[in-house]
Amino acid sequence: MHFLLIGLALFLALVAAGGLVYLRTRDDSGPKPSSIAAQAATALLGQNATAVKVTYFDQNRWDVTGELTVAKGGDTTGTLTDAGSGGKADYLASGKNAVVRGDQAWWARRDPARIGVLQDNWVRPDGYAFPMNSADLAPESVAGLIDWVRDGGTAMTGVTSVAGEPVVGMRRDEWTMLFTSEKPYRLVWFGGRLQDGAPIGSLAETAAPTPPYLSVLMNPPPDDAEKVELPADAVTEQTAAAKLPSFDVTVNATTCRTVNCSWTVTVKNVGAAPGDATVIASVAPGMTTTEVKAVGKLQPGDSVTTPAMTFPNPAPTNKDVTADYRAQVYAPELHGANLDLMRQLQEKGLMPGRSPILSKLDPSQIPAMLFTLDAMAGAARFDPDKAIDATVNAVTTGVLPEVGELVRSRRVENPSALYTKLQNPIFEYDTGVTGTPVTEKTGSRRQLQIAADVLHADPDATVTFDSNGIDLLVRGKDPRPTAIQTRSITSDSVAANVRSAVKDLEKNAPSGSRRVIELYVDAPAGYPQAAGRDYFDAQFAGLAKSVCPDGADEIVVVNQAGPQRWNHDQITGC
């Protein structure tokens, strides 16, 4: 559970529209929290709809926020936004059915093989559009959740205020609810873990050791909610076919016992559009320099075999050598102008054409995939198979938009760092307190997101990953480099993480550099994930000796309320 036991100087406030949260103690007089909760539930039952800002967080995959209006019965309208480098969709739901209209980055994280046929169209997703049932946020459902917390829950020990109004809290089984303590009573925030026995379930499976978490900011109720009618012409994701060529490749080779060996390649277009096919062929050992064989434009269903290719037999006399016959197809309709790059990658042992995931990517994502493989090829102790697996991880975990931003920029000083980072591209764990599943920094997703944001915002910037103990070293027009230490907050650990980041900066930041601490407050942290400046002012108040004068020049907090920044002058005691 994530609670804050706060002294008299600390206060929490939560403004629904902007997520402003303060913490403070208050007089215990007044109605009991259970009574206030009951009246807030009654108020919800009188509403036609709820307006919510809901964040779903899964350590291994998802950080997506919905700004939704949910009517009685569950009809839902709104938008869904992924954290990181893009990904946004309009969202409609009615009954058990939902549709989305997502942009390119949205589908790059979910169905990267069919982006062209799905993006900017209304789509009935295969599985789920949002990893929870939005009907669970309807007025009657949230009222039922309040009753569940009241029945077996307890009052929070720290009393809080919302937008200057005192609030009370209740909690039960990893779920917390905050209510205004003055009339009219209403629910302002709730959150909890989506695990067995929880009142709200997750539609997505997770392999993470920690369950997904939900953080819900309750905005003032809308006057009314429109009845949702799902578009009749919505595309069904499961049956949508990418209108692209796709090629099956067959190597025709037998055991070679002669001085020169010969082989051919047969190519068949199994896709839904014609494609101009060129075979890139090599053999290791024996024919390590690639040969390029243009076989012409193939219509769907057509096949063609290359002329015979020969190479000297690499096997010593009376000995056998295992040879890897490598062949993949380049087509400008799929790969753009990247024939030479594909040849270079193949000569390094990198064969994305053999991967059932990488070979089926939408053309909009293939350059990012190829550039990523090229970037990783300079890594120490490089293994081509591990590089392919790492790139597949980038696709299947939904991090390809960030990676694409990085590699396309050509402004990452050590791009080979992606070789290790993409082998485990999950969200970082909070190591600021005991009791977390890991004791050292694990994952790299926030670091990748921050680096991509830096390069996107500043066209002159370059970034270096893990520079002598610094998470990100940024150089640009300013002669002073910027050293950034990142931390993920998933518990009551803001102060502990700032202190550890300061220690890293003091030990490792280059002399004369600008020092920045960037805190990502994730949904499992509880209501601090929606907190505003005053909450963090109180957290930073005891850190002046650590932060000032040289510990950090700036602290940046990123949470549901957006980025918030503090310099020395804004930290109490500096």
Side-chain angles (χ1 to χ4, degrees):
M1 296 184 184
H2 308 295
F3 314 123
L4 295 175
L5 189 57
I6 315 267
L8 290 175
L10 187 61
F11 54 99
L12 165 80
L14 180 58
V15 172
L20 185 60
V21 178
Y22 306 87
L23 289 175
R24 73 179 182 194
T25 59
R26 68 186 259 295
D27 189 353
D28 287 337
S29 63
K32 292 183 178 180
S34 60
S35 175
I36 290 173
Q39 294 180 64
T42 300
L44 274 165
L45 293 174
Q47 294 178 196
N48 292 320
T50 57
V52 301
K53 188 172 186 179
V54 50
T55 296
Y56 178 102
F57 179 84
D58 172 68
Q59 197 78 43
N60 278 17
R61 178 78 191 259
W62 297 117
D63 183 3
V64 57
T65 295
E67 297 197 52
L68 308 176
T69 299
V70 188
K72 280 185 175 180
D75 279 9
T76 305
T77 62
T79 58
L80 305 175
T81 305
D82 292 320
S85 298
K88 190 170 185 176
D90 298 317
Y91 175 78
L92 299 174
S94 181
K96 295 183 178 180
N97 300 310
V99 295
V100 290
R101 183 170 56 194
D103 61 16
Q104 183 182 106
W106 172 269
W107 288 112
R109 300 187 196 276
R110 291 161 176 82
D111 196 342
R114 293 185 281 194
I115 296 173
V117 73
L118 298 177
Q119 75 175 89
D120 301 325
N121 292 315
W122 285 109
V123 177
R124 297 180 185 274
D126 180 16
Y128 54 84
F130 190 47
M132 65 162 293
N133 187 349
S134 60
D136 287 338
L137 302 174
E140 66 275 19
S141 298
V142 179
L145 178 61
I146 293 174
D147 289 340
W148 176 82
V149 170
R150 285 181 61 242
D151 287 345
T154 59
M156 292 178 61
T157 55
V159 182
T160 59
S161 73
V162 175
E165 293 183 293
V167 297
V168 296
M170 293 196 70
R171 57 177 177 262
R172 174 184 175 183
D173 298 345
E174 300 279 355
W175 284 79
T176 302
M177 290 187 141
L178 298 177
F179 308 89
T180 57
S181 63
E182 296 180 357
K183 294 183 178 181
Y185 301 127
R186 71 179 185 92
L187 176 66
V188 292
W189 179 89
F190 69 92
R193 296 192 181 278
L194 302 176
Q195 57 193 1
D196 290 345
I200 294 177
S202 173
L203 300 180
E205 295 182 356
T206 181
T210 52
Y213 197 97
L214 204 66
S215 171
V216 184
L217 206 60
M218 301 291 293
N219 290 325
D223 294 334
D224 205 351
E226 298 180 5
K227 181 175 177 57
V228 173
E229 293 187 9
L230 303 184
D233 60 348
V235 176
T236 301
E237 180 186 359
Q238 192 172 22
T239 59
K243 300 175 183 178
L244 297 168
S246 179
F247 300 98
D248 274 353
V249 175
T250 302
V251 169
N252 307 307
T254 59
T255 300
C256 178
R257 300 294 185 189
T258 57
V259 173
N260 291 313
C261 304
S262 177
W263 66 302
T264 63
V265 176
T266 299
V267 178
K268 182 176 182 179
N269 186 351
V270 295
D276 196 359
T278 296
V279 174
I280 306 173
S282 60
V283 184
M287 197 178 99
T288 53
T289 300
T290 56
E291 290 191 12
V292 172
K293 302 293 183 183
V295 296
K297 187 175 287 292
L298 300 183
Q299 299 295 323
D302 286 355
S303 63
V304 65
T305 299
T306 66
M309 296 171 282
T310 61
F311 60 94
N313 192 329
T317 303
N318 297 323
K319 291 188 177 181
D320 291 335
V321 171
T322 300
D324 181 11
Y325 287 79
R326 299 169 176 170
Q328 57 185 340
V329 171
Y330 160 80
E333 297 88 350
L334 298 175
H335 305 100
N338 291 301
L339 173 59
D340 288 342
L341 177 56
M342 289 183 67
R343 291 187 66 180
Q344 294 167 16
L345 293 175
Q346 184 161 324
E347 289 172 0
K348 296 173 183 176
L350 292 162
M351 294 282 294
R354 287 180 172 175
S355 165
I357 292 176
L358 301 184
S359 65
K360 302 300 182 184
L361 287 176
D362 184 83
S364 65
Q365 306 302 303
I366 284 179
M369 177 268 293
L370 295 175
F371 295 157
T372 300
L373 290 171
D374 187 43
M376 290 191 288
R381 298 182 295 278
F382 178 74
D383 182 326
D385 291 336
K386 286 185 178 179
I388 292 290
D389 290 343
T391 308
V392 170
N393 286 342
V395 174
T396 57
T397 59
V399 76
L400 194 58
E402 284 77 28
V403 175
E405 184 96 39
L406 294 170
V407 297
R408 283 192 295 265
S409 75
R410 303 289 186 178
R411 289 182 284 129
V412 178
E413 297 287 354
N414 58 337
S416 61
L418 295 173
Y419 178 66
T420 54
K421 295 196 174 297
L422 295 183
Q423 291 179 31
N424 189 31
I426 65 172
F427 290 103
E428 291 87 335
Y429 276 96
D430 181 349
T431 59
V433 295
T434 58
T436 54
V438 295
T439 56
E440 59 185 22
K441 193 165 184 177
T442 302
S444 59
R445 184 116 174 215
R446 292 298 188 206
Q447 190 184 23
L448 294 170
Q449 289 178 349
I450 294 169
D453 287 345
V454 167
L455 296 180
H456 184 78
D458 184 354
D460 297 312
T462 65
V463 299
T464 303
F465 289 107
D466 304 325
S467 176
N468 297 318
I470 296 299
D471 292 335
L472 290 170
L473 188 64
V474 181
R475 299 184 186 274
K477 287 184 175 180
D478 189 334
R480 298 175 65 198
T482 297
I484 302 176
Q485 287 302 97
T486 66
R487 293 292 189 271
S488 289
I489 310 295
T490 57
S491 59
D492 299 338
S493 60
V494 171
N497 274 289
V498 171
R499 289 190 182 96
S500 70
V502 167
K503 288 181 180 179
D504 289 344
L505 290 168
E506 290 177 338
K507 180 180 178 181
N508 301 313
S511 177
S513 62
R514 181 171 174 269
R515 301 176 178 186
V516 176
I517 298 170
E518 189 145 345
L519 307 176
Y520 259 81
V521 186
D522 294 321
Y527 46 79
Q529 200 254 345
R533 292 190 68 86
D534 284 33
Y535 168 74
F536 294 101
D537 282 339
Q539 294 291 303
F540 299 154
L543 300 175
K545 289 183 179 180
S546 297
V547 174
C548 309
D550 300 320
D553 296 290
E554 184 179 40
I555 300 176
V556 182
V557 172
V558 182
N559 66 354
Q560 200 179 60
Q564 304 171 67
R565 300 175 182 274
W566 284 258
N567 58 33
H568 279 173
D569 295 338
Q570 295 168 314
I571 296 176
T572 302
C574 286

